[in-house]
Amino acid sequence: MSVSMQGGYTVVTPASDTRIVYVSSSQGSDSNNGLSASSPVRSIGAAKALLRDGVGDQMLLKKGDIWNEGLGYWKISGRSPDQPALIGAYGEGDRPEVRNSSGYAFGAGTPSNRLHDVIVQGVRMYAAQRDPNNPLYNKSVKASGVYLAGNIENLTFEDISVEYYTDNFVASTFYPYFKNLVIRKSNLSNAYSDWGSHSQGAYIEGVDGILLEGNTFDHNGWNEQIPSAGATIFNHNAYIQGISKNLVARGNIFANSSSHGLQARPGGIVEDNLFLNNPIGMSYGLVNGSGPLVPGGVTGKIANNVFVGGRNIGSQARGIGIELSNIKPGAGFMMEKNIFTQSYAGGVFAAINLSTNNNQNNGELAAGINDLTLKDNIVYKWQRGIWVDPALRSGGTGPYAVNNLNFLNNDFQEIKLTNVLYHGIAVKAGNETFAGNRYHLQNVGGAPVYMDGKGYDLGTWFNSYEATGQAVKANYVDPERDAKSYSATLGGAGTNEDFLAKARANRKDNFNPAYTASLANSYIRAGFVDRGDSSPAIPTDYVPPVSEVPPTIDTPVETPTPTPTPVEPTLPPPPPPPASNPTTETPTTSPGYHTVVGADGKIKVIWDNNAPVPTEPTPTEPVPEPEQNAPDVVYTQPSTPGTIVYAGGYWYIS
């Protein structure tokens, strides 16, 4: 057996002694032996009875079938990371679907026998009786999705869909020890509670090594159709407790949460995610309430994320992009190239909030905010740009300390309220740096900068604190871009709902990369190119780099597929051509492809080193084929939507 990655999905090749058990609710019988697709068993219980612990056996559910039961409490481990136990699917059609009306859709974790090396792939877990849009809806049903109780190592959930449970996904260390949890290319949506408990899309506590990659977390923690299931401050799309470690969240969509899109209490790497219409996009290092924070501060980075819009929590106004706190001294923390655009009309808060912890557990062990650089971020049409908590203090140590804080080359454009920067504390000489930031407000009647009880107009601010600052209106290509306009360019309804519905519907057998955070972000990011800026926050050909995951997170290596099937995303229209000459695109180390805006004004799709390059479908002229492992093959946008042609040594795709 071997485990590899192809097209972003895990491929498990059975070993010679692997037992594969087939299950079909429509064609199976528990009197069958279950060892072939032509002789499947019917029930999940019968299939599990045929699997062996510690061998690397596989249980495959027939696509399109429905079971009115969950997968049960799972105790069957694989042999090793290269020989995992697999719960997967076979055949054609929609994901196989399990519907539990009580208990768990999938449970695992015992105090005695450690569960290890398991992959759950391509299964839908659906609380149909909790879906108010389903004829089966029954208000009395209370069911949970995935529940993992700890004493677990190397557990991957990929291409799954978990919907309408009280909690869609919970991982904890009720039983000590949990290492390496992966949730990839999955949909976790519409969790809610109507009986007084909290509700999360994903709640993860005490896990060492967490990878959230390419998922859609949408509308978790509340349901406006049910009066007793309203939004609260306690429910979130993804809630990662501070006693977890080594978090990587990249390429996810976090949308329409009850409160936070993501609570990254343990810090970690957060990059290239799309935060759409959350009351609070994300918190990082911050712990308000009773949960533990990371003693001495968190480390990691926040880069290349896009924050769009916002909403209230019930009647409570919000509109926060990100909250940061408890940043470890000496870590050299970077928050760079994030975009905060078009906060909602009722929002009252800043895009970026540097805060103290209101922690009731171990708040005295917080580190304050240290060695933090905010660079090349763009804030556009938000209520305020930055808020610095008046409870902080410049210098020193401990929970309220601020040391070596730098604001470099950021754009604060079309700010809606009076203050671009609300800086609640005085600045000690040499402790903070402001340089190269560009400011423009909609409201010019007040003080653009407020510091320690004193208002500053921009001229006075530049003379006093930021000699290289600029009062200038940026000349962006198309800053009004958002998920709605992106949906329209893809031929959709031009709504957030259309974009999100298609993102939730993505699955391995019917995957459209256009409906991912990465390509949506590329589209929005391209609108913020300012060709008149000598040091732009977003360069013309900028490609977000992909960080290496911590060694704690064990992931297979991507391998090229020799004969892939090309996927045809519909790309957004190009911006106007620039006056300058094209520059060279910089390849990324991520598998597959990425998008850039070339200096010729065209949006290009770049197939990376060793990525599968589609073969020519219909050659239109005798031109050389691109080599399979050529450094980079450039795809540019044609004039006719929905076509793929190969000409002049390039692929042209819409």
Side-chain angles (χ1 to χ4, degrees):
M1 182 183 293
S2 66
V3 178
S4 62
M5 296 290 291
Q6 292 185 7
Y9 290 94
T10 305
V11 176
V12 181
T13 303
S16 58
D17 63 343
T18 298
R19 178 180 295 171
I20 303 176
V21 178
Y22 296 83
V23 198
S24 171
S25 64
S26 62
Q27 300 176 0
S29 169
D30 286 352
S31 62
N32 291 338
N33 63 21
L35 300 181
S36 69
S38 61
S39 184
V41 296
R42 186 177 188 278
S43 69
I44 292 171
K48 290 168 68 175
L50 297 172
L51 301 175
R52 301 164 295 175
D53 184 35
V55 178
D57 286 347
Q58 301 184 7
M59 181 178 78
L60 304 184
L61 282 64
K62 188 176 186 299
K63 294 178 182 179
D65 279 6
I66 296 174
W67 287 261
N68 290 313
E69 60 176 320
L71 294 168
Y73 217 80
W74 194 266
K75 300 180 181 180
I76 303 165
S77 292
R79 180 174 290 160
S80 68
D82 288 332
Q83 299 182 31
L86 173 68
I87 301 172
Y90 74 98
E92 297 181 354
D94 293 336
R95 294 183 182 103
E97 186 174 304
V98 296
R99 298 178 173 183
N100 56 303
S101 57
S102 62
Y104 309 116
F106 178 93
T110 65
S112 53
N113 297 315
R114 177 165 297 166
L115 183 73
H116 61 90
D117 305 308
V118 178
I119 297 175
V120 182
Q121 186 181 69
V123 177
R124 185 187 189 196
M125 306 176 198
Y126 174 42
Q129 291 176 285
R130 287 177 46 81
D131 180 355
N133 303 302
N134 192 307
L136 298 174
Y137 174 68
N138 182 342
K139 182 176 173 57
S140 66
V141 169
K142 297 174 177 60
S144 296
V146 175
Y147 177 73
L148 310 173
N151 197 20
I152 294 171
E153 185 167 9
N154 298 335
L155 184 53
T156 294
F157 293 85
E158 183 179 275
D159 190 33
I160 66 169
S161 186
V162 189
E163 306 160 56
Y164 285 101
Y165 292 96
T166 301
D167 291 295
N168 278 337
F169 197 106
V170 173
S172 75
T173 46
F174 182 83
Y175 303 120
Y177 190 84
F178 199 141
K179 186 175 181 179
N180 192 22
L181 172 65
V182 176
I183 307 175
R184 180 190 291 118
K185 290 195 171 184
S186 295
N187 166 47
L188 287 81
S189 61
N190 293 305
Y192 72 91
S193 172
D194 59 352
W195 49 285
S197 70
H198 297 334
S199 173
Q200 319 296 339
Y203 176 87
I204 300 174
E205 175 182 299
V207 178
D208 185 359
I210 305 162
L211 177 60
L212 307 178
E213 184 176 45
N215 304 292
T216 298
F217 295 86
D218 183 26
H219 207 289
N220 288 295
W222 66 300
N223 191 309
E224 65 271 39
Q225 296 176 265
I226 301 172
S228 56
T232 79
I233 62 173
F234 303 106
N235 301 341
H236 316 288
N237 268 329
Y239 182 177
I240 317 301
Q241 276 283 18
I243 59 173
S244 297
K245 299 178 182 178
N246 294 306
L247 167 67
V248 177
R250 65 185 181 198
N252 303 284
I253 298 169
F254 297 99
N256 298 313
S257 180
S258 171
S259 180
H260 290 66
L262 169 65
Q263 283 208 4
R265 294 185 172 192
I269 297 169
V270 181
E271 61 186 14
D272 202 20
N273 301 283
L274 173 60
F275 294 86
L276 180 59
N277 287 341
N278 302 286
I280 302 170
M282 68 173 289
S283 61
Y284 188 97
L286 178 74
V287 178
N288 285 328
S290 60
L293 55 73
V294 177
V298 302
T299 62
K301 75 173 185 178
I302 302 167
N304 304 303
N305 302 285
V306 175
F307 299 78
V308 182
R311 36 172 291 274
N312 285 359
I313 303 176
S315 61
Q316 304 174 48
R318 285 296 187 272
I320 297 173
I322 185 169
E323 303 170 310
L324 283 88
S325 189
N326 196 29
I327 306 300
K328 184 177 182 178
F333 192 94
M334 292 292 296
M335 177 180 161
E336 59 182 337
K337 295 191 183 308
N338 303 282
I339 295 173
F340 303 82
T341 179
Q342 302 181 63
S343 180
Y344 73 112
V348 297
F349 291 96
I352 302 168
N353 292 257
L354 307 183
S355 307
T356 56
N357 283 273
N358 180 21
N359 180 258
Q360 301 164 13
N361 186 293
N362 60 343
E364 73 281 0
L365 301 178
I369 295 174
N370 303 275
D371 301 304
L372 169 63
T373 297
L374 291 86
K375 182 181 179 183
D376 294 336
N377 301 287
I378 295 175
V379 180
Y380 177 77
K381 287 191 176 180
W382 214 273
Q383 272 64 28
R384 288 187 172 92
I386 293 177
W387 181 79
V388 179
D389 193 336
L392 295 166
R393 62 174 182 264
S394 187
T397 60
Y400 305 102
V402 175
N403 295 288
N404 191 23
L405 177 58
N406 305 289
F407 302 88
L408 309 177
N409 205 52
N410 302 287
D411 280 3
F412 304 103
Q413 296 289 308
E414 299 291 321
I415 300 303
K416 297 179 181 181
L417 299 181
T418 302
N419 307 127
V420 174
L421 170 62
Y422 182 98
H423 197 293
I425 62 174
V427 176
K428 288 185 178 180
N431 199 38
E432 294 189 38
T433 300
F434 299 87
N437 301 295
R438 302 196 304 170
Y439 304 84
H440 183 78
L441 292 84
Q442 293 182 8
N443 183 354
V444 296
V449 178
Y450 179 92
M451 177 178 285
D452 191 31
K454 182 180 179 180
Y456 295 81
D457 61 46
L458 288 177
T460 306
W461 172 255
F462 296 153
N463 289 332
S464 302
Y465 291 98
E466 188 177 2
T468 57
Q470 301 178 63
V472 61
K473 183 175 181 179
N475 185 27
Y476 298 129
V477 170
D478 184 8
E480 302 302 319
R481 292 184 178 191
D482 57 15
K484 292 181 288 187
S485 63
Y486 183 52
S487 165
T489 66
L490 298 172
T495 63
N496 290 323
E497 292 75 16
D498 175 75
F499 170 75
L500 289 169
K502 291 170 181 174
R504 293 192 303 268
N506 262 340
R507 66 178 195 274
K508 184 178 180 181
D509 293 342
N510 187 27
F511 183 75
N512 188 341
Y515 294 96
T516 60
S518 180
L519 284 188
N521 286 353
S522 292
Y523 163 79
I524 295 170
R525 192 179 292 119
F528 284 93
V529 171
D530 184 349
R531 299 187 180 92
D533 186 4
S534 60
S535 57
I538 306 295
T540 300
D541 288 327
Y542 179 68
V543 178
V546 177
S547 302
E548 293 186 5
V549 300
T552 305
I553 302 173
D554 184 17
T555 58
V557 176
E558 180 84 17
T559 57
T561 306
T563 55
T565 301
V567 179
E568 307 176 18
T570 304
L571 298 179
S580 59
N581 292 325
T583 57
T584 302
E585 291 84 3
T586 303
T588 176
T589 57
S590 62
Y593 56 82
H594 56 262
T595 61
V596 299
V597 181
D600 57 0
K602 294 183 177 180
I603 294 178
K604 302 179 180 180
V605 179
I606 309 298
W607 288 75
D608 305 320
N609 293 341
N610 300 318
V613 177
T615 57
E616 176 189 357
T618 53
T620 56
E621 56 182 276
V623 292
E625 280 280 352
E627 297 178 4
Q628 173 66 31
N629 295 322
D632 271 330
V633 179
V634 180
Y635 291 54
T636 58
Q637 186 176 1
S639 58
T640 305
T643 62
I644 295 184
V645 296
Y646 180 74
Y650 297 102
W651 283 86
Y652 294 80
I653 127 180
S654 62

